[in-house]
Amino acid sequence: MNKLKREYQFFKQQTLNVRVLLMTNLLYAFVLPVVEIFVGAYVMRHTSEPVSVAFYQLFMYIGIIATSFVNGYLLRHVSVKVLYAGGILVSGLSMFAMMLVKSLGFVELGIAGFVLGAASGFFWTNRYLLTLNNTTDSSRNYFFGLESFFFSITSITVPLLIGAFISQIDGKEIMGCLIDINDAYRLVTVGVIVVTLFAVAVLRCGKFANPVQKNFLYFRFCTLWKKMLLLASLKGMVQGFLVTAPAILVLKLVGDEDVLGLIQGISGTLTAVLVYVLGRITKPEDRSKVFIAGLLVFFIGTLFNGVLFSATGVIIFVLCKVIFQPLFDLPYYPIMMQTIDAVVKIEKRNEYTYILSHEFGLFLGRAFGLILFMALAFAISQDFALKYALILVGALQLIAYPLARNIIKQNQTVR
């Protein structure tokens, strides 16, 4: 109990804006697993085609890029806090709109994906901007460690609760109304909207400033930022698969949504504690060690999935994926923000210039990964894509380690 009190006191020592951001992101952490997992499962259930899930996801990423660009112009006139809150709210509302669609052809999937991506674009770009401007390099390990702890815990509890809810309520009669699987998904989405309203209420307590310099659109960058964009593309490549592949693999080889939640819960609790401790005790110079650990765990998981391609292989892969994500993100985001701090000094540009550019780097990686999956699925088979595309992406991720070390070294020379 004393340790918990000490950790709480340490949290209270953070600035008001940092505390507000962490509490807002804690609430949004209850929304993100629904977006990442159950939307993919919803699309898979209504189309029975893994390629449809990938197609939906691709348009979601296009939506992120579109609104990230628009957000740069809006920041000239609208408070960053308002834009951030708008992204949180619209993410819940856009999910509800998708659940109301009666049929999910490619046109409907494209529109639904774009709208949800548009909401995500407002959320992530403004989140990066607020975090960048309200943290320092020395505090970012703690910030992202605590944030990863939130996301890891909710990635366990939310799938478990929602999976159990969906499986239990499906086919039940409530107040004279027969609840089917679609109604269950809609009820989940209503709950998401309620959580987003609470997140917006917390965000109002912060005092945040918009960028001073208004120009943000550039196409030529120094070598250091080009390296960061390559690292972002590698991250995006694996992101494209991690949003869709677990849901597809579990539904295909293991079972339904409740099983998906149970699998993720096995390793998530220990990972959440591990990441929080690492964020609390590690220093900026330790980031590369955490980075390579995450990359190796993910690659090992893809090998098990590809070689076994069975329920056992999927379980091992998802366990590795649950461990990998926070271990990767914990050093990645501080490295990204440290690099932005450095290139802002070198090129004298608006911070949002690099946040927008970073989204383009992520998009290129995400698009490459998803197009690779769809190309292999059409040209050879879906099973081949699920087996070997993940191994290829996992192997390519290993390049990120020497690249990240080089970026960190260059950042230190600028400082």
Side-chain angles (χ1 to χ4, degrees):
M1 186 60 70
N2 288 333
K3 289 184 178 180
L4 291 176
K5 287 182 178 179
R6 283 199 300 270
E7 294 305 314
Y8 178 67
Q9 290 300 322
F10 188 80
F11 171 78
K12 287 180 66 177
Q13 292 171 15
Q14 309 304 309
T15 64
L16 171 65
N17 283 352
V18 168
R19 296 199 306 270
V20 167
L21 282 174
L22 284 170
M23 290 303 297
T24 302
N25 294 345
L26 167 61
L27 288 167
Y28 192 78
F30 287 94
V31 175
L32 195 61
V34 184
V35 176
E36 287 192 341
I37 300 171
F38 289 97
V39 168
Y42 179 85
V43 174
M44 182 68 176
R45 180 179 291 278
H46 283 75
T47 63
S48 301
E49 291 289 339
V51 171
S52 296
V53 181
F55 180 82
Y56 163 83
Q57 201 65 40
L58 180 60
F59 271 81
M60 181 178 172
Y61 293 141
I62 292 172
I64 291 174
I65 284 294
T67 50
S68 298
F69 180 74
V70 172
N71 188 71
Y73 288 101
L74 292 176
L75 281 170
R76 297 175 177 179
H77 310 288
V78 183
S79 168
V80 61
K81 183 165 62 174
V82 172
L83 293 172
Y84 190 38
I88 293 172
L89 286 172
V90 176
S91 62
L93 294 172
S94 60
M95 285 176 56
F96 187 71
M98 189 188 78
M99 300 303 174
L100 294 176
V101 176
K102 298 298 181 183
S103 62
L104 286 178
F106 277 101
V107 174
E108 292 85 358
L109 283 172
I111 294 173
F114 184 88
V115 172
L116 189 57
S120 298
F122 282 117
F123 173 79
W124 288 107
T125 52
N126 290 299
R127 169 185 176 271
Y128 293 147
L129 183 61
L130 289 172
T131 304
L132 177 67
N133 289 334
N134 291 280
T135 60
T136 62
D137 188 55
S138 59
S139 68
R140 285 169 187 157
N141 278 22
Y142 171 73
F143 183 94
F144 287 105
L146 183 55
E147 191 179 70
S148 294
F149 175 79
F150 294 158
F151 285 116
S152 296
I153 291 295
T154 55
S155 73
I156 305 162
T157 56
V158 171
L160 281 172
L161 293 173
I162 295 179
F165 174 77
I166 289 173
S167 62
Q168 290 298 317
I169 201 171
D170 183 25
K172 296 293 178 62
E173 186 174 327
I174 299 177
M175 299 178 65
C177 296
L178 184 64
I179 305 295
D180 61 16
I181 190 72
N182 293 329
D183 295 324
Y185 275 109
R186 290 176 188 128
L187 289 172
V188 168
T189 308
V190 170
V192 166
I193 294 172
V194 172
V195 174
T196 60
L197 290 172
F198 279 108
V200 169
V202 171
L203 185 63
R204 291 184 61 189
C205 300
K207 299 177 181 179
F208 305 109
N210 284 37
V212 176
Q213 186 184 354
K214 303 302 181 185
N215 295 329
F216 66 91
L217 189 60
Y218 298 89
F219 298 98
R220 293 186 178 182
F221 300 98
C222 64
T223 302
L224 175 57
W225 186 247
K226 289 177 181 177
K227 292 177 182 178
M228 188 64 228
L229 290 179
L230 177 57
L231 188 62
S233 295
L234 290 170
K235 175 179 172 60
M237 191 187 308
V238 75
Q239 270 188 338
F241 278 92
L242 289 187
V243 172
T244 55
I248 294 171
L249 286 167
V250 170
L251 292 175
K252 186 178 182 68
L253 298 174
V254 182
D256 295 321
E257 287 89 337
D258 54 341
V259 179
L260 178 62
L262 180 61
I263 292 172
Q264 300 225 74
I266 295 174
S267 63
T269 302
L270 290 177
T271 304
V273 175
L274 172 64
V275 169
Y276 177 77
V277 171
L278 287 174
R280 189 76 164 79
I281 66 174
T282 57
K283 299 177 181 179
E285 55 266 30
D286 299 320
R287 288 168 186 162
S288 59
K289 299 173 187 176
V290 181
F291 204 66
I292 187 60
L295 292 172
L296 290 173
V297 167
F298 179 70
F299 182 61
I300 291 169
T302 63
L303 288 176
F304 272 102
N305 175 71
V307 172
L308 300 178
F309 202 61
S310 62
T312 302
V314 172
I315 290 171
I316 295 172
F317 167 68
V318 174
L319 291 176
C320 290
K321 171 252 182 189
V322 171
I323 297 170
F324 158 75
Q325 279 188 293
L327 284 180
F328 185 90
D329 288 347
L330 176 61
Y332 177 84
Y333 287 117
I335 291 171
M336 179 197 80
M337 292 186 178
Q338 183 189 55
T339 307
I340 293 176
D341 288 337
V343 292
V344 163
K345 292 180 180 179
I346 295 171
E347 299 185 329
K348 311 298 182 184
R349 293 172 179 172
N350 184 342
E351 298 97 331
Y352 195 77
T353 296
Y354 304 100
I355 291 173
L356 175 62
S357 175
H358 178 261
E359 287 300 320
F360 274 98
L362 288 174
F363 174 77
L364 290 176
R366 291 162 174 168
F368 175 80
L370 287 171
I371 291 171
L372 174 66
F373 172 78
M374 290 189 286
L376 290 174
F378 278 118
I380 305 175
S381 71
Q382 290 179 356
D383 285 355
F384 183 89
L386 289 168
K387 284 181 182 180
Y388 301 114
L390 275 170
I391 294 177
L392 176 60
V393 169
L396 288 173
Q397 287 302 297
L398 297 177
I399 301 172
Y401 174 65
L403 180 61
R405 282 181 59 87
N406 182 264
I407 290 170
I408 293 170
K409 185 176 180 180
Q410 280 196 252
N411 287 338
Q412 290 170 345
T413 61
V414 175
R415 295 173 61 195

